[in-house]
Amino acid sequence: AKATGKDKFSFFSKDLKLAMRKRVEMEVKLRTALDNNSLAIFFQPKYDLNLNKVVGAESLVRLIDDDGSIVSPDEFIPLSEETGLIHRLGKQVLVKSCEFIAKCVEANEPFKIAVNVSAQQIANPSFAKEVGEVILSTGIDPGLLELEVTESALMADFDQTRNVLLALSSLGLSLALDDFGTGYSSLSYLRQFPLNVLKIDRSFIKDMDTEPQALDIVTAIVRLGNCLNMVLVAEGLETELQFHSLRQLGCEYGQGYYMCKPISEDEFTTRFLNQKTM
Ligand code: C2E
Ligand code: CA
Ligand code: CA
Ligand code: CA
């Protein structure tokens, strides 16, 4: 029994060492990417479900590894939050996203671009001022910018959070509540914060074809959003049935692999910005 215990311990510690080394390596990669301003932004098109037409996109950060492989944000966003690097990351993503908005407008496609924002960014009292500066320096119409926050970002100090969201809102951009229905949902958030958009979490969309309960929840969220005059966006549509059901329910917008995966800026440009002949 003793030997087993020792084996387990050494196995675990080897595992732990590997995990720690990976973490340090990832932090180095992230810092290098930030220093070189070389993070990539992928864009996932957002569709008007009634018109089956692209009206915007969500901006999703990617880290390109030395060998050219793409690192998912799940592997470095939590790390960037723990190390405080999220502020630099968030700024670079915002600048690149606003530059992309300008590029779309230039190509006669005034797409609305949604940018993910972490709780720590919202907790920064000068965040709204910084966003205002980026809007000015890139010269974009703030109406084309949307910021996505999760419920966890709203659970911090109430007055501070509300002030930041009100300041952002007064810049003329719109605010979306991401992953709605997961986490510590409180319906009072919807009244107390100036939120314009509800994004229905993928977990409900995923099961709505097969589980009546999931369909009921999606139906209820769509009604709730309509009552509160909020724009509804469903995420993670993977089937034709989901597309049609959501449209039928009155959900106006959607994103998902069924329509299009997140794609590089170049691919987005080729597929969606060069459609019009002048
Ligand atoms: P999220 O904001 O909920 O983004 C949606 C995620 O779902 C994306 O993963 C997207 O690629 C994926 N997705 C979209 N459609 C489908 C579908 O039909 N099926 C499935 N299975 N997945 C779909 P991604 O790009 O890996 O991003 C993961 C998370 O990382 C995001 O979740 C967001 O929380 C975070 N993130 C990404 N970019 C940023 C950023 O610039 N800043 C911050 N703070 N967080 C970011
Ligand atoms: Ca999001
Ligand atoms: Ca989401
Ligand atoms: Ca998510």
Side-chain angles (χ1 to χ4, degrees):
K2 231 181 183 180
T4 319
K6 200 180 170 196
D7 284 351
K8 263 188 193 159
F9 176 75
S10 57
F11 175 74
F12 182 69
S13 101
K14 199 173 138 201
D15 239 30
L16 197 66
K17 264 189 204 155
L18 189 68
M20 282 169 66
R21 188 190 315 147
K22 278 198 165 160
R23 195 193 140 93
V24 171
E25 279 173 8
M26 186 55 74
E27 187 176 339
V28 170
K29 280 178 198 167
L30 182 58
R31 284 186 189 278
T32 308
L34 289 170
D35 290 344
N36 298 334
N37 192 21
S38 66
L39 287 169
I41 314 289
F42 274 38
F43 295 95
Q44 183 176 40
K46 178 171 78 185
Y47 285 74
D48 178 318
L49 299 180
N50 295 305
L51 304 175
N52 195 11
K53 190 174 166 282
V54 176
V55 293
E58 177 174 2
S59 141
L60 295 156
V61 68
R62 301 284 184 267
L63 198 155
I64 312 296
D65 222 334
D66 299 330
D67 62 0
S69 63
I70 294 167
V71 183
S72 140
D74 290 330
E75 291 186 48
F76 61 88
I77 290 287
L79 179 73
S80 69
E81 289 171 340
E82 286 158 29
T83 52
L85 290 170
I86 190 67
H87 298 285
R88 290 178 67 197
L89 183 151
K91 174 87 187 282
Q92 292 185 10
V93 169
L94 182 68
V95 170
K96 286 179 177 176
S97 300
C98 289
E99 286 168 353
F100 187 64
I101 293 174
K103 183 176 166 181
C104 293
V105 168
E106 190 85 3
N108 262 316
E109 294 285 5
F111 289 142
K112 194 160 186 166
I113 303 296
V115 179
N116 291 286
V117 165
S118 283
Q120 273 155 286
Q121 292 174 272
I122 296 289
N124 170 9
S126 54
F127 181 59
K129 185 171 152 271
E130 286 171 16
V131 173
E133 285 165 4
V134 174
I135 289 172
L136 279 180
S137 70
T138 52
I140 62 150
D141 170 0
L144 295 176
L145 178 64
E146 189 160 288
L147 297 183
E148 299 191 359
V149 299
T150 57
E151 285 155 338
S152 63
L154 306 181
M155 295 198 339
D157 182 83
F158 178 82
D159 291 316
Q160 143 71 16
T161 306
R162 191 161 177 276
N163 287 338
V164 170
L165 295 188
L166 286 172
L168 288 168
S169 190
S170 70
L171 292 172
L173 49 78
S174 62
L175 294 171
L177 188 52
D178 203 357
D179 303 344
F180 183 70
T182 63
Y184 299 89
S185 285
S186 162
L187 296 182
S188 66
Y189 290 156
L190 302 182
R191 295 195 324 131
Q192 293 172 318
F193 295 113
L195 299 162
N196 315 96
V197 179
L198 268 191
K199 295 197 79 176
I200 312 171
D201 192 67
R202 176 158 63 89
S203 56
F204 304 116
I205 307 300
K206 187 168 73 68
D207 294 331
M208 64 185 284
D209 287 350
T210 51
E211 289 175 25
Q213 257 198 343
L215 181 62
D216 287 344
I217 290 173
V218 173
T219 306
I221 295 176
V222 172
R223 287 204 189 131
L224 177 71
N226 285 334
C227 285
L228 295 168
N229 275 318
M230 295 177 82
V231 173
L232 288 149
V233 180
E235 24 175 42
L237 279 76
E238 292 188 358
T239 69
E240 189 180 358
L241 188 57
Q242 288 162 358
F243 184 97
H244 289 294
S245 312
L246 284 160
R247 188 165 69 177
Q248 203 102 44
L249 288 175
C251 176
E252 220 179 333
Y253 302 104
Q255 303 167 222
Y257 294 173
Y258 173 64
M259 293 89 91
C260 187
K261 287 194 172 183
I263 49 180
S264 69
E265 181 176 334
D266 283 350
E267 189 176 347
F268 192 100
T269 302
T270 309
R271 287 177 59 182
F272 302 110
L273 287 189
N274 298 318
Q275 318 181 81
K276 284 180 185 162
T277 42
M278 302 267 180

